[in-house]
């Protein structure tokens, strides 16, 4: 075994006096570390309230959750809420030669909905390419902290909030990678969203199995194909509500929903208002166009 790489810790904490009371998102720390000993060990059960996102640049580390213990490797990250039952650490036998990572910690009353959205769509352990905008934002924030450029709470908290938004944007990670199958599936669903179709039918049309299509679609987009199809249908329903005089039942049928009641239920889940209520709001506001 070769000589161990030197451990490095470049960590920056934030406690500003110029912040507003109870900020929605508050940056508390950001850091870059290289770890190679069992002394690196964190038990989240004993930590104060907050959120941690940690992205592996090189090597690997261990994460224990209620589902077991597994390695977090290069290009993988975990997103955790504290306090909770997770434990993460460096294992000298399993994680040779080192664990290099960048992390960000934040708190605030507004973080939880973004955390839940990200975990629901991507999981607590997620794989991101280094060119992903959220990862680039981590590097940028660490550079700013290291060079004293985060001079007040609003700059720091704004950067943390931007990171969360970039992480939520499922389109950001796929700009430099592609899948012909996924592109074909998207095109097919966008062209045929008004028809009654199932995931099995889409897969059959593309000449692959349903499970293979689901795996590939989630790998490249971060969401399941059926969710993508539903979103396309809702987006087109919004356009028809705004641009046409069609009834709710007619719009439901044109957008591929099996019946009006189901359409109302799905629409309200996505848009937080019923189709009729949204149409009234758009007309009252006088919108020239609506972007969903």
């Amino acid at each position: 075994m070769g000589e161990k790489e030197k451990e490095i810790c470049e960590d920056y904490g934030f406690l500003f006096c110029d912040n507003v009371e109870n900020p929605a998102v508050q940056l508390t720390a950001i850091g870059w570390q290289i770890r190679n000993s069992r002394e690196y060990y964190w038990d989240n059960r004993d930590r104060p309230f907050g959120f941690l996102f940690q992205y592996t640049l090189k090597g690997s580390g261990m994460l224990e959750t209620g589902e077991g213990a597994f390695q977090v490797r290069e290009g993988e990250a975990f997103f955790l809420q504290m306090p909770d039952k997770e434990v993460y650490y460096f294992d000298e036998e399993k994680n040779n030669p080192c664990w290099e990572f960048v992390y960000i910690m934040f708190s605030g009353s507004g973080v939880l909905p973004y955390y839940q959205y990200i975990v629901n769509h991507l999981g607590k352990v997620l794989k991101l390419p280094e060119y992903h905008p959220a990862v680039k934002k981590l590097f940028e924030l660490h550079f700013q902290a290291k060079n004293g450029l985060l001079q007040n709470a609003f700059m720091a908290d704004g950067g943390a909030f931007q990171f969360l938004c970039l992480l939520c944007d499922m389109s950001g990670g796929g700009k430099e990678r592609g899948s012909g199958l996924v592109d074909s599936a998207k095109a097919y669903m966008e062209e045929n969203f008004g028809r009654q179709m199932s995931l099995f039918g889409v897969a059959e049309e593309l000449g692959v199995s349903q499970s293979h299509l689901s795996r590939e679609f989630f790998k490249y987009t971060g969401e399941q194909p059926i969710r993508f199809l539903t979103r396309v249908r809702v987006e087109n329903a919004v356009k028809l509500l705004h641009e046409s005089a069609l009834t709710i039942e007619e719009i439901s049928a044109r957008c591929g929903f099996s019946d009006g009641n189901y359409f109302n239920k799905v629409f309200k889940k996505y848009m937080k208002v019923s189709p009729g209520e949204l149409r009234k709001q758009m007309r009252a506001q006088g919108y020239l166009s609506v972007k969903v």
Side-chain angles (χ1 to χ4, degrees), residues 20 45 90 93 95 113 118 126 167 178 180 210 218 270 273-274:
V20 297
R45 290 173 293 189
F90 184 84
E93 295 182 359
N95 301 129
I118 292 162
L126 49 155
L167 199 56
Q210 179 176 327
F218 187 81
Y270 275 75
V273 295
S274 70

Side-chain angles (χ1 to χ4, degrees), residues 27-225:
L27 178 65
T28 55
I30 189 163
W32 167 69
Q33 295 189 12
I34 295 177
R35 292 291 195 166
N36 58 27
S37 73
R38 62 174 60 91
E39 293 178 6
Y40 182 75
Y41 181 95
W42 287 97
D43 186 335
N44 282 343
R45 290 173 293 189
D46 302 322
R47 303 179 79 177
F49 173 78
F51 300 85
L52 166 70
F53 181 90
Q54 186 160 306
Y55 180 79
T56 300
L57 299 169
K58 187 171 71 173
S60 65
M62 301 301 298
L63 173 68
E64 293 184 8
T65 70
E67 299 177 356
F70 48 93
Q71 292 191 49
V72 183
R73 298 180 173 87
E74 180 177 339
E76 295 180 334
F78 54 74
F79 197 11
L80 308 176
Q81 181 181 359
M82 303 174 291
D84 212 332
K85 298 178 182 178
E86 294 91 1
V87 176
Y88 60 98
Y89 54 91
F90 184 84
D91 187 310
E92 295 184 12
E93 295 182 359
K94 297 179 180 179
N95 301 129
N96 290 323
C98 69
W99 191 9
E100 180 179 355
F101 54 84
V102 60
Y103 72 89
I104 184 171
M105 298 181 71
F106 29 68
S107 60
S109 58
V111 179
L112 185 59
Y114 290 89
Y115 170 78
Q116 291 173 333
Y117 181 91
I118 292 162
V119 168
N120 288 340
H121 285 76
L122 300 176
K124 286 186 178 182
V125 179
L126 49 155
K127 188 172 181 64
L128 296 174
E130 200 165 315
Y131 56 73
H132 191 285
V135 178
K136 289 182 177 180
K137 187 63 183 180
L138 275 184
F139 293 145
E140 177 189 333
L141 286 170
H142 185 264
F143 174 85
Q144 291 175 330
K146 184 176 181 178
N147 291 278
L149 301 177
L150 298 176
Q151 299 177 356
N152 58 59
F154 306 106
M155 293 176 64
D157 297 351
F161 180 64
Q162 186 179 5
F163 166 79
L164 283 173
C165 292
L166 289 170
L167 199 56
C168 287
D169 182 4
M170 303 304 169
S171 66
K175 294 182 179 178
E176 297 182 34
R177 295 175 66 194
S179 163
L181 173 61
V182 172
D183 291 341
S184 296
K186 283 184 173 182
Y188 180 79
M189 288 186 280
E190 287 170 344
E191 291 172 7
N192 298 279
F193 66 88
R195 295 171 46 196
Q196 295 292 317
M197 72 173 82
S198 64
L199 177 57
F200 175 80
V202 176
E204 189 175 43
E205 184 71 25
L206 298 173
V208 298
S209 69
Q210 179 176 327
S211 59
H212 179 67
L213 176 59
S214 292
R215 285 195 303 270
E216 286 294 295
F217 204 96
F218 187 81
K219 175 181 177 182
Y220 286 96
T221 69
E223 66 179 341
Q224 295 294 342

Side-chain angles (χ1 to χ4, degrees), residues 189-190 193 229-243 251 254-255 267 292:
M189 288 186 280
E190 287 170 344
F193 66 88
L229 175 60
T230 303
R231 183 157 52 84
V232 169
R233 285 171 166 163
V234 170
E235 288 173 352
N236 280 276
V238 171
K239 292 178 183 178
L240 289 174
L241 286 167
H242 178 255
E243 298 171 0
I251 291 173
R254 287 201 182 191
C255 292
F267 192 94
V292 180

